[in-house]
Amino acid sequence: SAVISQKPSRDICQRGTSLTIQCQVDSQVTMMFWYRQQPGQSLTLIATANQGSEATYESGFVIDKFPISRPNLTFSTLTVSNMSPEDSSIYLCSVGDGKAETQYFGPGTRLLVL
Amino acid sequence: KQEVTQIPAALSVPEGENLVLNCSFTDSAIYNLQWFRQDPGKGLTSLLLIQSSQREQTSGRLNASLDKSSGRSTLYIAASQPGDSATYLCAVRGGTTSGTYKYIFGTGTRLKVLA
């Protein structure tokens, strides 16, 4: 299994500012995933972050808005740039178990943009 | 495009009842299916993972079945308890256009078990 921590756990931000969310895993993983969960909605994949290469973004998400870093096999950051109230969501980091393919999730970062 | 739907959206039952949560998906070419539990203000916890070649998985009071050809999965909870109250999410991995690593999540079922 994998234990994932995220920072911050929650934040309230002003429109137009940016927030960087950190994700730390207790083991080395090849692929890390960033999801968004808007209020009352299910999870939507934002991008997949591989160490040593640029992140792969899903349709509707762009690097300028959600830049991602993956400096090593245990850490990743997601930045939400130039925030608007529509960015208010829970952002979750996730990794897969290479053997069992079970997906593990961090506790999430609750973001409120005013 | 893979789409995942869960029925019912919400469910309220008295303690001790057996219950069934349903999940359907449109593209049967999946790699696996996973059921998660989400508690308010917390992340997701994996409950059961079913590979595409399997028909069911069991863990304690939970049993998940998979009928890939019909695009359906069910999560059976036996002898429900107030501690089972949470949102249950179904997610499928793979599909004709989704690739083998991407999970598509359902809309979730909010379960409340009354004491």
Side-chain angles (χ1 to χ4, degrees), chain B residues 20 24 27 33 35 40 45 48 65-66 69 71 77 83 107 109 114:
Chain B
V20 175
S24 62
D27 186 342
L33 181 146
W35 283 92
T45 302
L48 289 166
S65 67
L66 174 64
S69 61
I77 302 177
T107 47
T109 294
L114 305 172

Side-chain angles (χ1 to χ4, degrees), chain B residues 95-109:
Chain B
T96 305
T97 59
S98 301
T100 58
Y101 67 87
K102 178 179 175 180
Y103 273 101
I104 305 294
F105 279 81
T107 47
T109 294

Side-chain angles (χ1 to χ4, degrees), chain A residues 30-31 33 35 45 48 94-104, chain B residues 2-4 23 25 27-36 49-52 66 68 90-106:
Chain A
T30 303
M31 301 175 83
F33 306 90
Y35 285 85
L45 181 64
T48 303
S94 174
V95 303
D97 180 318
K99 288 184 178 180
E101 300 175 53
T102 298
Q103 201 80 359
Y104 298 96
Chain B
Q2 180 74 274
E3 293 182 0
V4 183
C23 171
F25 45 95
D27 186 342
S28 62
I30 64 170
Y31 195 61
N32 62 39
L33 181 146
Q34 197 161 182
W35 283 92
F36 293 89
L49 170 69
I50 309 178
Q51 301 293 349
S52 62
L66 174 64
K68 201 173 74 163
C90 165
V92 298
R93 181 177 175 181
T96 305
T97 59
S98 301
T100 58
Y101 67 87
K102 178 179 175 180
Y103 273 101
I104 305 294
F105 279 81

Side-chain angles (χ1 to χ4, degrees), chain B residues 7-71:
Chain B
I7 296 173
L11 183 62
S12 184
V13 300
E15 182 177 7
E17 273 205 7
N18 302 324
L19 55 99
V20 175
L21 308 182
N22 297 292
C23 171
S24 62
F25 45 95
T26 55
D27 186 342
S28 62
I30 64 170
Y31 195 61
N32 62 39
L33 181 146
Q34 197 161 182
W35 283 92
F36 293 89
R37 167 183 175 143
Q38 185 175 30
D39 293 280
K42 298 186 179 180
L44 277 68
T45 302
S46 176
L47 298 174
L48 289 166
L49 170 69
I50 309 178
Q51 301 293 349
S52 62
S53 59
Q54 298 175 323
R55 293 195 64 84
E56 67 176 343
Q57 285 286 331
T58 299
S59 176
R61 295 182 293 108
L62 304 179
N63 175 276
S65 67
L66 174 64
D67 183 344
K68 201 173 74 163
S69 61
S70 67

Side-chain angles (χ1 to χ4, degrees), chain A residues 86-114:
Chain A
E86 291 71 34
D87 295 319
S88 298
S89 297
I90 301 174
Y91 292 86
L92 298 113
C93 170
S94 174
V95 303
D97 180 318
K99 288 184 178 180
E101 300 175 53
T102 298
Q103 201 80 359
Y104 298 96
F105 283 83
T109 295
R110 289 179 169 272
L111 171 61
L112 176 63
V113 184
L114 303 177

Side-chain angles (χ1 to χ4, degrees), chain B residues 61-88:
Chain B
R61 295 182 293 108
L62 304 179
N63 175 276
S65 67
L66 174 64
D67 183 344
K68 201 173 74 163
S69 61
S70 67
R72 294 181 180 180
S73 176
T74 61
L75 179 66
Y76 176 82
I77 302 177
S80 59
Q81 304 171 356
D84 294 331
S85 299
T87 296
Y88 290 81

Side-chain angles (χ1 to χ4, degrees), chain A residues 4-112:
Chain A
I4 305 171
S5 60
Q6 286 185 233
K7 289 182 182 180
S9 60
R10 60 180 62 228
D11 208 342
I12 300 174
C13 300
Q14 295 298 319
R15 178 197 302 258
T17 63
S18 297
L19 177 72
T20 295
I21 302 168
Q22 300 179 3
C23 176
Q24 180 75 53
V25 188
D26 69 342
S27 58
Q28 295 185 339
V29 293
T30 303
M31 301 175 83
M32 295 178 75
F33 306 90
W34 286 98
Y35 285 85
R36 180 175 76 180
Q37 187 175 29
Q38 295 178 299
Q41 305 290 318
S42 192
L43 279 74
T44 302
L45 181 64
I46 297 172
T48 303
N50 294 326
Q51 195 270 335
S53 63
E54 287 199 2
T56 302
Y57 289 83
E58 297 299 310
S59 176
F61 298 96
V62 295
I63 188 171
D64 289 345
K65 176 66 175 177
F66 298 100
I68 289 172
S69 78
R70 184 80 202 273
N72 57 52
L73 292 173
T74 64
F75 186 79
S76 178
T77 67
L78 170 76
T79 298
V80 186
S81 304
N82 188 25
M83 289 184 286
S84 66
E86 291 71 34
D87 295 319
S88 298
S89 297
I90 301 174
Y91 292 86
L92 298 113
C93 170
S94 174
V95 303
D97 180 318
K99 288 184 178 180
E101 300 175 53
T102 298
Q103 201 80 359
Y104 298 96
F105 283 83
T109 295
R110 289 179 169 272
L111 171 61
L112 176 63

